Amino acid sequence: QVQLVESGGGLVQAGGSLNLACAASGRTFSRYAMAWFRQAPGKEREFVAAIGWSSGSTYYADSVKDRFTISRDSAKNTMYLQVSSLKAEDTAVYYCAAGYRHPSSVVGGYDYWGQGTQVTVSS
């Protein structure tokens, strides 16, 4: 019913930047909260940032504040995550999520997930 497709991951040096994108299709997203999570090998899926699709209000994990920026373009049904000043600890698969509720920092707060895009930061 809702499809989410991430893109933009890659291999970068520490201190570098990437722009991740999540293209949404299948349903209207005017009342959806959307978010980015990430998961490194052997670790739990971790909240990164969230955005209210209608209001544009944004929320960030403390570990990424002032380095990552979440945004969306409603005309393109696309959400973005600009990641800057990357550290080795940012290496993970980054997942796009959407849900029919207020923005949340927990995995259970979202109903739809993309397949993920790999971000690798060399030390």
Side-chain angles (χ1 to χ4, degrees), residues 27-120:
R27 287 187 179 271
T28 300
F29 275 78
S30 61
R31 299 184 64 189
Y32 274 67
M34 299 189 72
W36 290 95
F37 287 74
R38 65 187 182 186
Q39 187 166 23
K43 295 186 179 295
E44 297 292 318
R45 193 163 296 189
E46 175 189 30
F47 172 75
V48 175
I51 186 166
W53 193 250
S54 297
S55 68
S57 299
T58 59
Y59 310 88
Y60 297 93
D62 288 341
S63 60
V64 306
K65 277 180 184 170
D66 302 319
R67 299 192 299 120
F68 292 8
T69 301
I70 189 171
S71 62
R72 84 308 186 246
D73 185 334
S74 59
K76 297 180 179 179
N77 293 318
T78 302
M79 178 178 66
Y80 303 93
L81 185 71
Q82 178 71 45
V83 299
S84 302
S85 301
L86 285 165
K87 308 171 182 179
E89 64 201 62
D90 295 317
T91 295
V93 177
Y94 283 70
Y95 295 93
C96 174
Y100 277 121
R101 65 197 74 196
H102 295 295
S104 172
S105 63
V106 299
V107 169
Y110 299 90
D111 304 298
Y112 304 99
W113 295 84
Q115 83 292 340
T117 186
Q118 177 73 48
V119 172
T120 302

